[in-house]
Each structure stands twice: as C-alpha cells, then as structure tokens.
Amino acid sequence: MAAKVKDAVHSLQSRAPPSKLTISAGTLTSKWFEKSDYVQIIEMVLTNNDPESSFIKKDNLTITASSDSFDIVRPATVTRLMAGQQIVVQIGVKNKPTVVRGVQCSGTITATWANTMTASTPISGECGFGDYAATKESLNRQWTPDWYNNAKFGIFIHWGVYAVPAYGNQGANEDYAEWYWKRMGEPDYKSKTYQYHRDTYGENFNYDDFIANFTGSKFDAAAWVNLIADAGAKYMVPVTKHHDGFALFDTKETSNRNSVKLGPKRDFIAELISAAKKLHPEIRRGTYFSMPEWFSPAYAPYALGCCGGFPGGPPTNPYTSKVIDYTGYISGKEYVTEIQYPQMETLAYDERYETELMWCDIGGANNATTMLSAWINWARSKGRQITYNNRCGYGSTDHTDATGGDFTTPEYVTNGDTVVSKWETNRGMDPFSFGYNKDTPDSSYLTGKDIVQSLVDVVSKNGNFLLDIGPKADGTIPEIMQTGLQDAGRWIKERGESIYDTRFWQTTSGTGNFRYTISDSAFYIHLLAPPVSPGSITIPDKIPFLSGDEIRILGGAMNNTYVPAILNTDGTVRLDVPANVAHADRWVWTFKVIYKL
C-alpha cells in the first residue's frame, strides 16, 4: 500500500497544478466560529475550473482576505478540490480596532496556490455584528449558526394533555394524536375522534377534564436526556405549549393554563433543561412553541382559517354546543402582546429555559420580528448563537418557505435532492403522529435501520433530521421507541465523523443507493444496501478520489479495514470489497476516502 502511494506521488511530480479557480458567493456572514472571540465567518464557494487537474495537498491552496476594515485571523487551506467540482470554504476575520461593528465595508478574498498562482474576488457587507431591526429584511440577514448545521440529528418531544386519550386511530385513518381536541369537533374527519370520544368518555366529558389524569408521575428528566444522548442526537426540542394552549412551563402572569398551576403542578420543561445542562451539556436545547391556541378566547380576533383551523374561543362542547371553560385562562389579556409575546420571552430569557432554538409552529398573528430581533441581539451580547425556524409567522405558512426563518421545516416528507438553503425534516417514530397514539402497533414504528437510513439520506442533502417521540401521560417513553433510538445511536456514534460536522457534497447527494458527505479532510461514501459479496462495487459518481488515496471501512466488525480501489478511466471508482464485508455491518455501509496526496 505504501508503495502504491509512493508510485502515485511520483506520477504526479510532473503534473501541472490547476490553472484556474473561481471564488463565488463570498459573504460576510452573521456567524462566528464557536469558542472564538467573535471571529466573523466569511463563507464562499470555490470552483476548480480546470477540466483536468485537481487540487491536492502539495498545491497549498490557501484562502485569505484583506480589507481596510478587517484583519484575517483564520485563513483556510484546501486539501482536495477535484477538476470541475466545487466546495464551500470558511475563513475568519475580525474588525480592525477603530471599525465599529455592523458598519458596511469591503475587501478582497484571495486564493493562492502552487507558489505563484492566484485568484481573487471583491467582497462587501457588514463587518462585525450589528444589531438587528424588527423587520423581515433585517432578520433575513441571519445565518443558521454552524452548531446547528453540524448537529444533524435532533429529538422532538410531543407530550401534553393529549397523551391521556392517546388516540389518533390507525392505518389510513390515523391522524396526529396531539390534534385530539380539534378532531373532537369534526364528526366527518377520518380519525373518527368525535365518535371515539363520545363512545369512550361520554358527551359531557370535556377535553380539559383530561388534565387531572395528565400526571407525569413517572417523568424522569435524567432518563429522557440520557436516552437522547444514547440515540446520538445533538439537540432536543420539547413541546412547551401545543395548540391546546396547555403549557409545560411557567407562563407566569400570562395564563394559569399550565402544568405548574394545574394537574401535576410541575415545571417539566425546566426540569428537562436542567437535567440536560447537568448531564449532557453537549446537547443543544431548543423549545417548540405554538403561536396560536385553538380555543383561547383571546385568540378569537385573530381567527385563522389555514393550517387545520384556529378559530379562537371560548370553546364549546361539540355534542351539546354549550360554551365550556378554557381552564386556567386569565381574561382581559390581548393575545399577541400579553400572552404570546411574553411567553416567548420567558422561553428565550428566563434562566430556567434560555432556549437556543425557537421552534415556532403555525404562525398567524404575531409580533415575531420584534421578539426575534431583540432576542438575537441579546444572545449575541452573551456570546450565544441562537436560531429559529420558518414558522414564527413573519413569512408564509408554507413549511418550505425559506424567507421566514433560518431553516425550512418539511413535515413527514423529505427532499428528493440537495437543497442549498438549510432545511430540517421532522416526523414521528409513529407512522403518522407526533403525540403518543396507543392504537399504533409496535411493528409500525421506525426501527434503528429506518432512523439511520433516513438520517444519512437527509444529511447528504444538507438537511437535519428532527425525530419525534411521544411519551405516555405518566411520563414514560414507550419501550419500542427507546429500542429504536438506542439501536440507531449505536450505529451513529461509531460512524459519527461521517455525520456530524460534515457538509453535503456540492456535486451530488448520490446516485441510486449511494449517498455522500464531506469534511475538510476526508470524503465519506454511504451505501444504503448491502454490498455484493464477494465482488466489487463501482461508485457511479466522480468522487474526490485519486490514485494513491486510501479507502477504509468505517464502523462495524471490519472497522478500518483497507479496501483496494481502482480509479477507472471515466473517473468512477471501483472498490474490491472483502468477501465478508456485507455481513460485517448493517443498515448503511460507510467507506472513508483518506486523502494521501
């Protein structure tokens, strides 16, 4: 093997380095390098325009920037860029001492290689980090922070009063169990929740009567957080308040409709976040928050027809049409300014919560631009990079609309190919419910295999995977969910370098059963089906592999095993897989390309 590398290096001695490089999309971003002193990230795309020659280590391709307004403090060196291909590169700058943060400035990005060759492009934008204004245009300057981009895998947790009836029907008639109250009032809806509730509890049993049985008596915050860590997830997003308006945190003077004042008399969100900070501080902490409430009397002036309908209240009994109490409601408050807005502020600023990711839902009436701009400015002053999704209400109600938040949120669907703007798919382990549905058979839940294959597919396309679990009313997590997460976690952790802190490959997410991820120093090939054994595998895409590089198995019983590879004349690569490689791993077979040249 060493001889092969030596021969390959010798054959490259007389090669000409790439003749042309293009720098595009250079941007002074709103991000800074984690654990740095606000070193601002300039992000760009490099394109190797040479049709024949690839950049290798010996070319010493180095990226810097210069300006009258900033100094370069973190240049970048590119170790591999194939002929005709692209990569994303980051460098770091800091304002000169006399330059005020947030000022408009300009400069030049420069690439140098092979001692004498250069390429450059002008750059202009905001030097340092100015304050955000309460406008959509200002907020759209915000970039998704790299901690979120690098985390890849998160756990969603839908838990609330709806876990008591725990009903959503099954099969083709299944609906989100957390929508139980809304479906109670829709006799013709496919889930037949109206009929189920009448036949099971009677016409005079109202939704809020379930609050007494939402006990959380077996809730164990440490066990939840440990399970999230065991799953290999890097962030969590518990539901703090769903559309039924019942909150699992201290909503203070805005409402008594919460688990602190009613039912279990506990602040479940504070307990969970405290456990995460203590036991697994590496897990980033987000919070889901429903912007509207279905039946809050205060929401009636903002009645929303979209997204399943949010009519406002007061609520009525769907069988008798009588007006019923909205338990815990404090009358006389304006919904947006005196309920929604201060509740979001509590999640953002109160030290019991201090969310890092505001996962809004539905949108509708809001004062989000004011709340979010102030929160970003405050967080930056504390050295924290926070993020929020596209459902806070200042964009459209389309989950794929990238203009209303840091990332888009397709639900129970994924993208067929790479989407360059950041996205996150979310779904339950249940085939079609986020909240716990007691009618779902164990055989229908996602398995470890399903989770791993979905994660690899999503990450290869620039997405994050937010996977939901639905605990029972007593706070226990169904065993079938725990098993799936733990199985997936064992696979993910062993191959973490090919998932976390990687980027999508600019060329393609993959062909057929192949998927790809890339880091600064390596390239990863993921095969979603067992390799033919014994035999060979031809990788159909022109991956960044050169004769002399190494390919090794990542993970499984044959971890780090060398795999002979041949570069074909058409640029594809053939792997001669060991005879027993198919049996040495499961679910996804991962190969690591190690750049030797």
Side-chain angles (χ1 to χ4, degrees), residues 309-458:
F310 288 78
T316 58
N317 181 306
Y319 308 102
T320 66
S321 298
K322 291 182 179 179
V323 173
I324 56 178
D325 288 339
Y326 194 57
T327 309
Y329 175 68
I330 299 175
S331 63
K333 294 185 179 295
E334 202 283 324
Y335 186 82
V336 171
T337 59
E338 296 181 292
I339 298 175
Q340 179 196 86
Y341 188 95
Q343 288 181 4
M344 294 177 76
E345 286 192 309
T346 295
L347 293 173
Y349 303 122
D350 191 306
E351 64 181 7
R352 292 172 292 177
Y353 316 113
E354 286 189 332
T355 186
E356 298 175 274
L357 189 165
M358 188 72 75
W359 213 101
C360 305
D361 202 6
I362 302 300
N366 69 88
N367 203 355
T369 56
T370 300
M371 187 274 154
L372 294 171
S373 58
W375 178 42
I376 297 170
N377 293 336
W378 172 84
R380 185 194 60 242
S381 73
K382 303 293 184 181
R384 298 173 55 209
Q385 300 190 74
I386 53 85
T387 188
Y388 57 94
N389 69 349
N390 67 333
R391 302 191 191 185
C392 293
Y394 74 80
S396 72
T397 56
D398 180 358
H399 295 169
T400 63
D401 175 19
T403 66
D406 290 351
F407 56 93
T408 58
T409 51
E411 188 169 309
Y412 267 93
V413 294
T414 187
N415 287 309
D417 207 343
T418 298
V419 175
V420 175
S421 59
K422 191 63 186 179
W423 62 282
E424 173 196 76
T425 187
N426 65 96
R427 62 154 297 160
M429 292 186 70
D430 185 291
F432 196 68
S433 182
F434 290 92
Y436 173 61
N437 180 7
K438 66 180 184 300
D439 288 346
T440 299
D442 284 359
S443 60
S444 294
Y445 283 96
L446 292 187
T447 64
K449 176 182 179 180
D450 299 324
I451 295 167
V452 166
Q453 291 189 338
S454 295
L455 176 64
V456 169
D457 178 64
V458 168

Side-chain angles (χ1 to χ4, degrees), residues 124-451:
S124 61
E126 188 175 282
C127 280
F129 308 102
D131 286 343
Y132 288 88
T135 65
K136 178 177 180 178
E137 293 72 24
S138 182
L139 286 171
N140 282 345
R141 296 176 7 236
Q142 160 94 346
W143 283 55
T144 309
D146 279 350
W147 72 255
Y148 175 82
N149 296 334
N150 294 335
K152 309 301 184 186
F153 185 35
I155 298 298
F156 221 176
I157 308 171
H158 275 64
W159 189 47
V161 174
Y162 42 83
V164 178
Y167 174 81
N169 214 321
Q170 59 180 300
N173 293 321
E174 185 178 12
D175 185 50
Y176 293 171
E178 65 274 14
W179 277 64
Y180 186 93
W181 193 6
K182 186 66 164 57
R183 301 310 182 205
M184 277 176 61
E186 300 173 357
D188 297 328
Y189 198 76
K190 66 176 183 177
S191 63
K192 302 301 179 185
T193 305
Y194 175 92
Q195 293 81 2
Y196 171 83
H197 185 86
R198 179 195 60 203
D199 297 344
T200 306
Y201 301 103
E203 293 185 351
N204 292 317
F205 190 96
N206 297 314
Y207 179 82
D208 280 357
D209 293 331
F210 287 125
I211 293 174
N213 292 321
F214 178 62
T215 65
S217 58
K218 297 181 181 179
F219 171 74
D220 184 339
W224 282 27
V225 171
N226 286 334
L227 177 62
I228 292 168
D230 287 346
K234 295 296 186 180
Y235 63 105
M236 66 178 190
V237 184
V239 168
T240 65
K241 183 185 75 171
H242 206 261
H243 311 326
D244 61 359
F246 189 87
L248 303 189
F249 69 104
D250 182 4
T251 54
K252 301 180 180 178
E253 69 281 355
T254 65
S255 171
N256 292 326
R257 189 176 176 80
N258 59 61
S259 63
V260 179
K261 298 290 180 64
L262 303 172
K265 306 289 179 59
R266 293 173 67 179
D267 189 332
F268 292 119
I269 300 301
E271 291 182 41
L272 185 62
I273 288 177
S274 176
K277 288 180 178 179
K278 179 180 179 181
L279 300 174
H280 291 284
E282 75 280 3
I283 294 175
R284 310 304 284 247
R285 301 169 296 276
T287 49
Y288 167 105
F289 180 81
S290 175
M291 301 294 281
E293 297 176 19
W294 280 318
F295 303 118
S296 169
Y299 198 73
Y302 301 109
L304 187 64
C306 86
C307 318
F310 288 78
T316 58
N317 181 306
Y319 308 102
T320 66
S321 298
K322 291 182 179 179
V323 173
I324 56 178
D325 288 339
Y326 194 57
T327 309
Y329 175 68
I330 299 175
S331 63
K333 294 185 179 295
E334 202 283 324
Y335 186 82
V336 171
T337 59
E338 296 181 292
I339 298 175
Q340 179 196 86
Y341 188 95
Q343 288 181 4
M344 294 177 76
E345 286 192 309
T346 295
L347 293 173
Y349 303 122
D350 191 306
E351 64 181 7
R352 292 172 292 177
Y353 316 113
E354 286 189 332
T355 186
E356 298 175 274
L357 189 165
M358 188 72 75
W359 213 101
C360 305
D361 202 6
I362 302 300
N366 69 88
N367 203 355
T369 56
T370 300
M371 187 274 154
L372 294 171
S373 58
W375 178 42
I376 297 170
N377 293 336
W378 172 84
R380 185 194 60 242
S381 73
K382 303 293 184 181
R384 298 173 55 209
Q385 300 190 74
I386 53 85
T387 188
Y388 57 94
N389 69 349
N390 67 333
R391 302 191 191 185
C392 293
Y394 74 80
S396 72
T397 56
D398 180 358
H399 295 169
T400 63
D401 175 19
T403 66
D406 290 351
F407 56 93
T408 58
T409 51
E411 188 169 309
Y412 267 93
V413 294
T414 187
N415 287 309
D417 207 343
T418 298
V419 175
V420 175
S421 59
K422 191 63 186 179
W423 62 282
E424 173 196 76
T425 187
N426 65 96
R427 62 154 297 160
M429 292 186 70
D430 185 291
F432 196 68
S433 182
F434 290 92
Y436 173 61
N437 180 7
K438 66 180 184 300
D439 288 346
T440 299
D442 284 359
S443 60
S444 294
Y445 283 96
L446 292 187
T447 64
K449 176 182 179 180
D450 299 324
I451 295 167

